Amino acid sequence: MNLILLTHDDIENDRLARVRDPRRLRHLREVHRATPGDRLTLGVVGGHIGQGELLTLCDQEATFALSPLDQAPPPPLPVHLVLALPRPRMLARTLEHVTALGVKQITLLHTRRVEKSYWMSPELTPEKIHHHLVLGLEQARDTLLPEVTLERGFRPFVEGRLPALLEGRRGLLAHPGMPSACPRGVEAPTLLLVGPEGGFIPWEVERLLEAGCEGIHLGQRILRVETAVTALLARLF
Ligand code: SAH
């Protein structure tokens, strides 16, 4: 928690904020080892960042005197990430990593090699997803929550939603063995597709290429989803 992310409910007035949930209180005590008088970085969900002085900290709440929160959050990456739904624990970690890296649009997609049971996981409840996004934002000192969309059918996605997503975006399909290497230094809006642990099946690769995506590879090493996503984002942008 390199930034204490405040919701509008935490803000009493423009000079005072009050944090009451156990997670942030525990973090303030155990990780920051904060004591009254410390100045910490605070941000408002969807808003600006600034400093606050810890006034009080007890088991029930922490209060902060706010200095003007007037710094913009870091710029987002120009990417919409389409991720085949990974297993629940991998999903949790991947959401945190990609949020910390600055992804603001995430689509979780069903593909043939996604286990159907993953769609029933409690990790997919809006509260759990929100929790992992918040951890990613706090890590990276960001305040803008990514938007997460669930696409439970591959064909409806490719035939229905993908054409619109590719309007004004360069579609890049990460798949081992594709002829082109992953580009670097990309600034243009991009749609990046990453497969499940078992990879995209050939039929899915064909549909995505037909729809206008370019196949890209990251070298001979086959990486786990969370490593592949991180390596792809770092190299692309
Ligand atoms: N067993 C699968 C790989 C799955 S890895 C196969 O051989 O196809 C999970 C996902 O991470 C892949 O679908 C791809 O999107 C991405 N990925 C992992 N390693 C990659 C590489 N070397 N090049 C491109 N994409 C990669």
Side-chain angles (χ1 to χ4, degrees), residues 84 113 173-178 182 193-200 216-229 232:
R113 295 200 176 126
L173 164 64
H175 187 61
M178 286 282 119
C182 175
L193 296 108
V194 177
E197 281 148 289
F200 290 110
I216 57 162
H217 73 80
L218 265 183
Q220 293 174 18
R221 293 171 195 275
I222 310 282
L223 305 172
R224 279 175 179 231
V225 173
E226 61 177 325
T227 316
V229 174
L232 285 160

Side-chain angles (χ1 to χ4, degrees), residues 85 110-121 152:
L85 182 67
H110 185 69
T111 69
R112 175 75 73 77
R113 295 200 176 126
V114 170
E115 280 198 30
K116 294 235 170 68
S117 64
Y118 296 171
W119 288 101
M120 326 272 237
S121 160
R152 294 166 189 271

